[in-house]
Amino acid sequence: MDNLKKIEFHVVSRDDHILLAQKLSFLKENIEIVKRQGIDLNVICHQNNKKGLCELYNEILSKSEGLDGIAFMHGDVDFNIPIIASRCIEESENFDIIGLAGTKKIDLHVSPLSWFTGSKDFEEYRYGKITHLDKMATGESFFNYYKPEVKETRVCCIDGLFIYLNKSIIENKELRFDEHFKYDFYDLDFCMQAAVNHKMKIGVIIEPTIHESVGKSILTENFHEYEKIFKEKWEVQ
């Protein structure tokens, strides 16, 4: 098939577990389905990754040529690959950056991630059809911010569990992930760079997604260290 849209999905995990190997097998089974939709999808697995996410993502972007889009996703995320790939291509006409969960509002003075932590003050602004699981604790879903009447929408930032960048981002050498952030705040900082410094559009597509963790780094000392770096960078008092 001629004129295929060429995209890459990079699956990243700090663990070396069988789940990711099974996921990669499943992802590759979907490649032929996606090709029939006019998309040349390449799935690349970064298993047992020891680098900071920003360092790895920038390294990948520096070597990316001839792509129409590139996605970075956590190893514990599950969704319908053909649908997500197709919708990313479709919505690339409207958005430069696409996620599966995001918010239309953040309050940097309270907590930059207060939109994510389940605060009711941000409930109406959260978008995505995400089920966050905490298998180590209850085995139940953490929370879900689904609005059935919305299929896609513009937001101000997205959750780093899935980040899709269209061709305009890949070719913009001035916009890259800030390697001061290893795991936390990298997604919010990247969205701030894109929206504030480069006037780019960020959007969320609404598709059923399972995230098999709840981001427990929010409870760690490193989280607060990165929060301080973020606030100093963006001059948040």
Side-chain angles (χ1 to χ4, degrees), residues 38-86:
I39 302 170
D40 180 8
L41 171 63
N42 186 21
V43 178
I44 302 166
C45 178
H46 304 269
Q47 196 163 350
N48 201 24
N49 174 57
K50 301 304 180 186
K51 296 181 180 179
L53 291 179
C54 292
E55 179 186 356
L56 176 63
Y57 293 175
N58 285 340
E59 184 179 296
I60 293 169
L61 284 169
S62 69
K63 300 174 182 177
S64 299
E65 294 183 359
L67 294 176
D68 294 289
I70 190 167
F72 302 110
M73 57 183 284
H74 294 182
D76 58 355
V77 175
D78 284 308
F79 49 67
N80 185 306
I81 293 296
I83 290 177
I84 296 297
S86 179

Side-chain angles (χ1 to χ4, degrees), residues 12 26 44-45 58-59 63 70 100 108 126 130 146 148 214:
V12 184
F26 172 75
I44 302 166
C45 178
N58 285 340
E59 184 179 296
K63 300 174 182 177
I70 190 167
L100 297 176
L108 301 181
R126 290 194 295 263
I130 309 290
Y146 176 48
V214 295

Side-chain angles (χ1 to χ4, degrees), residues 112-141:
L113 296 187
S114 51
W115 75 271
F116 171 79
T117 56
S119 169
K120 291 188 179 296
D121 294 337
F122 293 86
E123 195 168 301
E124 66 178 291
Y125 303 105
R126 290 194 295 263
Y127 288 85
K129 194 174 183 181
I130 309 290
T131 301
H132 296 274
L133 301 180
D134 188 359
K135 289 187 174 182
M136 299 301 291
T138 64
E140 299 176 354
S141 62

Side-chain angles (χ1 to χ4, degrees), residues 149-167:
E149 71 279 6
V150 179
K151 301 301 180 186
E152 66 280 322
T153 189
R154 188 171 179 178
V155 296
C156 63
C157 72
I158 58 173
D159 189 319
L161 63 88
F162 179 87
I163 302 175
Y164 179 88
L165 310 177
N166 74 9
K167 193 172 185 177

Side-chain angles (χ1 to χ4, degrees), residues 24-228:
L24 184 61
S25 176
F26 172 75
L27 287 169
K28 289 186 174 180
E29 287 175 4
N30 284 271
I31 290 177
E32 285 305 314
I33 298 175
V34 172
K35 186 168 287 188
R36 291 197 291 271
Q37 299 174 342
I39 302 170
D40 180 8
L41 171 63
N42 186 21
V43 178
I44 302 166
C45 178
H46 304 269
Q47 196 163 350
N48 201 24
N49 174 57
K50 301 304 180 186
K51 296 181 180 179
L53 291 179
C54 292
E55 179 186 356
L56 176 63
Y57 293 175
N58 285 340
E59 184 179 296
I60 293 169
L61 284 169
S62 69
K63 300 174 182 177
S64 299
E65 294 183 359
L67 294 176
D68 294 289
I70 190 167
F72 302 110
M73 57 183 284
H74 294 182
D76 58 355
V77 175
D78 284 308
F79 49 67
N80 185 306
I81 293 296
I83 290 177
I84 296 297
S86 179
R87 293 211 61 200
C88 283
I89 290 293
E90 178 184 340
E91 292 302 327
S92 286
E93 296 182 7
N94 302 314
F95 306 118
D96 301 290
I97 302 172
I98 298 171
L100 297 176
T103 181
K104 290 180 179 288
K105 177 184 177 180
I106 54 176
D107 189 339
L108 301 181
H109 299 281
V110 178
S111 171
L113 296 187
S114 51
W115 75 271
F116 171 79
T117 56
S119 169
K120 291 188 179 296
D121 294 337
F122 293 86
E123 195 168 301
E124 66 178 291
Y125 303 105
R126 290 194 295 263
Y127 288 85
K129 194 174 183 181
I130 309 290
T131 301
H132 296 274
L133 301 180
D134 188 359
K135 289 187 174 182
M136 299 301 291
T138 64
E140 299 176 354
S141 62
F142 182 45
F143 64 84
N144 192 322
Y145 24 94
Y146 176 48
K147 297 175 177 65
E149 71 279 6
V150 179
K151 301 301 180 186
E152 66 280 322
T153 189
R154 188 171 179 178
V155 296
C156 63
C157 72
I158 58 173
D159 189 319
L161 63 88
F162 179 87
I163 302 175
Y164 179 88
L165 310 177
N166 74 9
K167 193 172 185 177
S168 66
I169 298 281
I170 298 171
E171 294 178 347
N172 185 340
K173 305 299 183 183
E174 295 181 0
L175 177 57
R176 289 295 181 261
F177 291 89
D178 186 339
E179 295 182 20
H180 286 98
F181 304 99
K182 193 169 184 179
Y183 296 112
D184 299 305
F185 287 90
Y186 70 94
D187 43 5
L188 178 55
D189 176 77
F190 187 75
C191 289
M192 290 280 288
Q193 288 188 68
V196 177
N197 298 340
H198 297 272
K199 310 303 179 187
M200 292 185 169
K201 295 180 180 178
I202 306 166
V204 163
I205 54 177
I206 315 300
E207 293 294 342
T209 302
I210 294 175
H211 187 205
E212 297 177 18
S213 68
V214 295
K216 289 184 178 178
S217 64
I218 199 170
L219 303 175
T220 67
E221 187 174 322
N222 284 340
F223 174 87
H224 297 292
E225 178 186 337
Y226 291 129
E227 181 177 25
K228 182 180 178 182

